[in-house]
Amino acid sequence: MEKLQRNRLFQYIEDFYSTEPEYLWAKYPSYAVFRHSASRKWFAAVMELQKSRLGLSGSGCVDVLNVKCDSVLIGSLLAEEGFLPAYHMNKNTWISVLLDETVPDERILPLLEWSYDAVAPKGKRRKQEQI
């Protein structure tokens, strides 16, 4: 399976946030998390999941990005193709994004920024703007 979008986002996160993926689970070697440098809290997680686990048709796996998200925005994003309720995270504060080119990078990058800012220490948070 090609992982072009996953690879582009990993490179963007490394370049823009100076953060590298952490692979925390031996059982799931492709699962990666990204932490805010100051708070050490996760702002993104990437998992390779069976489509059936996500309620998607077809066989095989797909990469999914989980990001923290404004609860009001989650409702509207779920109406768009490529956005799913957060897999294995709080569905009120996280959302899953398919990394199969369904959602363009330009749509994902502001969500990464919001998520990164959301987990920043309180004194270092930028004013979060609507995405």
Side-chain angles (χ1 to χ4, degrees):
M1 173 171 76
E2 295 270 342
K3 297 187 176 288
L4 298 177
Q5 191 167 34
R6 174 189 176 119
N7 294 341
R8 286 193 312 268
L9 289 176
F10 277 34
Q11 189 62 55
Y12 175 84
I13 292 169
E14 184 178 337
D15 292 346
F16 197 77
Y17 301 107
S18 300
T19 301
E20 294 189 7
E22 294 180 43
Y23 298 92
L24 303 176
W25 303 279
K27 185 176 178 180
Y28 302 105
S30 66
Y31 287 25
V33 299
F34 293 91
R35 297 178 193 262
H36 191 287
S37 58
S39 70
R40 303 297 301 149
K41 292 181 180 180
W42 297 5
F43 69 93
V46 176
M47 299 168 281
E48 182 181 10
L49 301 168
Q50 291 286 332
K51 289 181 179 181
S52 61
R53 293 195 98 169
L54 299 167
L56 301 174
S57 61
S59 61
C61 294
V62 64
D63 282 328
V64 173
L65 169 71
N66 279 353
V67 289
K68 284 192 76 79
C69 192
D70 180 79
S71 59
V72 174
L73 184 58
I74 288 173
S76 62
L77 289 175
L78 290 175
E80 297 181 29
E81 188 176 4
F83 292 95
L84 303 167
Y87 180 81
H88 205 63
M89 301 293 260
N90 182 325
K91 291 169 182 35
N92 294 319
T93 57
W94 289 79
I95 193 162
S96 290
V97 184
L98 295 179
L99 296 183
D100 62 356
E101 306 294 342
T102 301
V103 180
D105 295 356
E106 296 75 29
R107 186 78 171 110
I108 297 172
L109 300 182
L111 296 173
L112 277 170
E113 182 176 354
W114 195 96
S115 185
Y116 184 84
D117 194 45
V119 300
K122 290 184 182 184
K124 296 187 178 194
R125 291 185 184 174
R126 296 175 292 207
K127 182 181 175 198
Q128 293 186 349
E129 299 172 11
Q130 269 191 315
I131 299 172

